[in-house]
Amino acid sequence: MTPEEFRILGHHLIDWIADYRSDIEKHPVLAQVEPGEVRKSFPSTPPAGQVSHDEIIRMLDERIMPGMTHVQHPMNFGWFPSNSALASVLGDIAGSGLAALGISWESCPSLTEVEELVCDWMRQLAGLSPEWRGCIHDTASTACLTSLIVARERATGLIQNRGGIQSEPRPLVVYTTEQSHSSVRKAALLAGFGHENIRNIETDPDTFAMLPQALAEAILQDLDSGRTPAAIVATSGTTGVAAFDPLDDIADIARRHNIWLHADAAMGGSALILPECRPLMRGIERTDAISWNPHKWLGANMDCSLMYVRDTQMLQSVMSTNPSYLKSASDSQTTQLRDWSIPLGRRFRALKLLFLLQIDGIESVRDLMRQDIDNARWLAGQVGDSADWKVLAPVRLQTVCIRHEPEGLHGEALDRHTLAWARSVNASGKALVTPAILNGRWMVRVSIGAIPTTREHVETLWRLIRDTASGILK
């Protein structure tokens, strides 16, 4: 493809994306295909020649679109917000078009310095002190893995430079809760801690936040049994119920025992840009690492996850790689982001945030987030005022956890009812919600946060949920 051919098809593609976003409500929210159906729509052998521009657009319409779950749809209340503001999409296109090679400062000074810049802008907007420096990862899963590897090395005095974790005589322990994201356990396993050395600390039965006293007791038990407490992963905005672990109290315990404290704020971290929400994360300044995802609630196109640390020297001691072919005369004057994360190379992700902040502006982002919080509180009020319906967890941000509990339904029968009406809502294509388990029983999460979602959409969802649940009983 020549630049001129790119220009022509690119115009068609931008028009197609703009039309899609304008008309997104005409699509069912959940993909209406069977497993394997999308793949079968394509030839089983590679294309023998080129296809026309019109055929490319037709492929999107006829083969790709049927298999899309439309997470930008205003009736998408599933999982968590995965917002993709069009301003950020343009930044992603610009980054792809520039096709930078991000393996050192010298390979693309703009990539490194703009990433440093937008990370510092986001630090300021989040109200964090200048002690923190950050970089961009793909997801919070990778950021958590990076943090736990650093925690492992900090607890052992850089044992990677000696015999590795298998030579450590005292088992290393990680502390978290059952409410933490599944990626935390995965990261602990990948970092070599082992299943037997992951502690799920008890949570408050009402708030679902980690209980500091239970954490303190677990640490003392491990110390008495000859283990080394290495890391605590506290969550600010859990995936299930948007619970916030008490960072101040946890930080007291972490400092007492010199334990690395990671704040996983993948979802809730975006709320730091709202001054009124910062008390939810009181104590975050006392952690050792923070990760959060602007590609969730903030509007940055996926993938864009921020990770901040204060001890950048420790991070670089663990992550540094410096082959001869990447050395340059400017090394002592510049940041080498390859020493801040797992991959050697990186994409120009920072442009997604740069475009978002410059084109849409932070106040428009704040306005949307506040609207989501107001809509969540409205929905929680409606549910709480309705017979046989219950709100199951405090509504801290934009997630509302609900259950329909008609008289006479308990235990497994209630579970079957919950799954039946949730799946019926989703299968209708009119909305998308997420069933999940809380305290051993199924409930439904309503996660409000798609950019075009208004109060009218939330009202429509509430009517749909009530009618569907009532219909299931008949």
Side-chain angles (χ1 to χ4, degrees):
M1 172 176 278
T2 66
E4 190 56 37
E5 290 171 329
F6 173 81
R7 186 192 314 277
I8 294 169
L9 181 55
H11 279 296
H12 287 315
L13 184 58
I14 291 293
D15 285 342
W16 183 87
I17 294 171
D19 288 342
Y20 164 65
R21 289 296 187 95
S22 297
D23 300 331
I24 196 169
E25 287 194 66
K26 74 179 184 182
H27 299 284
V29 185
L30 185 67
Q32 305 290 299
V33 295
E34 297 297 322
E37 189 175 334
V38 174
R39 180 170 179 170
K40 288 176 182 176
S41 72
F42 287 87
S44 59
T45 56
Q50 298 173 319
V51 299
S52 69
H53 292 180
D54 288 342
E55 287 177 290
I56 293 293
I57 299 299
R58 239 186 342 265
M59 174 195 70
L60 290 170
D61 284 329
E62 298 174 3
R63 297 175 178 173
I64 302 299
M65 194 60 71
M68 291 296 299
T69 291
H70 302 281
V71 294
Q72 307 308 315
H73 197 293
M75 293 298 289
N76 171 37
F77 302 96
W79 302 300
F80 45 76
S82 184
N83 287 339
S84 179
L86 289 173
S88 185
V89 172
L90 289 176
D92 212 0
I93 291 172
S96 296
L98 288 169
L101 178 63
I103 56 176
S104 67
W105 176 88
E106 187 177 46
S107 72
C108 187
S110 288
L111 183 154
T112 299
E113 295 187 19
V114 172
E115 185 162 330
E116 289 183 293
L117 173 73
V118 297
C119 286
D120 195 61
W121 282 358
M122 294 308 300
R123 175 195 64 77
Q124 294 176 54
L125 291 169
L128 297 172
S129 72
E131 288 185 69
W132 297 93
R133 291 185 64 192
C135 68
I136 301 177
H137 292 253
D138 51 3
T139 64
S141 301
T142 306
C144 185
L145 173 58
T146 301
S147 186
L148 287 183
I149 291 172
V150 175
R152 180 192 72 198
E153 296 304 306
R154 181 173 179 261
T156 58
L158 292 173
I159 202 167
Q160 68 180 19
N161 297 334
R162 303 190 304 280
I165 194 169
Q166 61 264 43
S167 67
E168 176 63 23
R170 294 166 58 92
L172 306 175
V173 184
V174 176
Y175 304 86
T176 187
T177 76
E178 287 189 355
Q179 294 295 323
S180 68
H181 194 271
S182 60
S183 62
V184 175
R185 176 171 294 273
K186 183 175 181 178
L189 294 175
L190 291 173
F193 288 95
H195 177 81
E196 294 180 358
N197 299 309
I198 302 172
R199 303 281 181 266
N200 277 332
I201 302 303
E202 184 182 355
T203 58
D204 185 284
D206 297 318
T207 67
F208 303 98
M210 183 186 292
L211 290 173
Q213 184 59 37
L215 172 65
E217 291 171 1
I219 290 171
L220 290 177
Q221 289 173 6
D222 282 321
L223 287 170
D224 288 343
S225 63
R227 291 178 168 83
T228 300
I232 303 166
V233 181
T235 308
S236 294
T238 61
T239 302
V241 299
F244 286 80
D245 291 335
L247 294 176
D248 238 353
D249 293 336
I250 294 170
D252 285 341
I253 298 168
R255 288 193 176 184
R256 189 181 312 147
H257 298 284
N258 194 29
I259 304 172
W260 181 269
L261 175 54
H262 178 85
D264 178 14
M267 171 63 205
S270 291
L272 286 168
I273 72 167
L274 302 177
E276 65 269 27
C277 288
R278 289 175 191 164
L280 291 170
M281 288 165 270
R282 184 177 289 112
I284 199 165
E285 280 282 350
R286 302 176 63 201
T287 65
D288 295 290
I290 306 165
S291 62
W292 57 288
N293 294 344
H295 68 230
K296 282 194 169 73
W297 200 14
L298 200 71
N301 197 32
M302 195 169 183
D303 50 2
C304 183
S305 180
L306 300 172
M307 178 178 169
Y308 293 90
V309 297
R310 287 177 298 164
D311 190 350
T312 58
Q313 290 302 312
M314 185 66 205
L315 175 66
Q316 292 175 81
S317 294
V318 177
M319 293 289 157
S320 178
T321 179
N322 196 24
S324 60
Y325 62 86
L326 291 181
K327 293 181 178 180
S328 73
S330 60
D331 285 352
S332 62
Q333 303 170 275
T334 59
T335 297
Q336 302 296 346
L337 290 175
R338 66 176 182 270
D339 297 339
W340 289 53
S341 57
I342 294 171
L344 169 64
R346 63 206 305 110
R347 298 186 295 113
F348 207 155
R349 292 190 183 96
L351 286 178
K352 292 186 275 195
L353 275 173
L354 185 70
F355 274 50
L356 176 66
L357 293 173
Q358 291 191 318
I359 295 173
D360 285 353
I362 194 62
E363 287 308 318
S364 70
V365 177
R366 285 178 171 138
D367 288 345
L368 285 170
M369 293 173 67
R370 287 179 174 128
Q371 175 182 281
D372 293 337
I373 293 172
D374 286 343
N375 283 335
R377 290 171 178 167
W378 177 86
L379 178 61
Q382 298 298 306
V383 174
D385 290 341
S386 300
D388 299 334
W389 286 88
K390 185 178 291 186
V391 178
L392 303 173
V395 178
R396 304 295 191 194
L397 296 177
Q398 45 57 260
T399 301
V400 188
C401 298
I402 65 175
R403 188 158 55 220
H404 184 224
E405 299 182 350
E407 187 176 354
L409 277 186
H410 306 283
E412 293 183 3
L414 181 59
D415 281 347
R416 287 193 294 271
H417 174 67
T418 301
L419 290 174
W421 70 256
R423 288 168 177 167
S424 182
V425 166
N426 292 346
S428 74
K430 297 177 182 178
L432 179 64
V433 294
T434 305
I437 291 177
L438 181 65
N439 289 338
R441 290 288 165 220
W442 284 96
M443 56 91 171
V444 171
R445 297 172 64 260
V446 177
S447 180
I448 301 170
I451 290 173
T453 298
T454 65
R455 175 65 58 81
E456 182 180 353
H457 294 106
V458 181
E459 291 172 353
T460 299
L461 174 74
W462 177 226
R463 287 194 297 271
L464 175 63
I465 285 174
R466 282 182 301 166
D467 292 346
T468 303
S470 297
I472 292 290
L473 290 175
K474 294 178 180 178

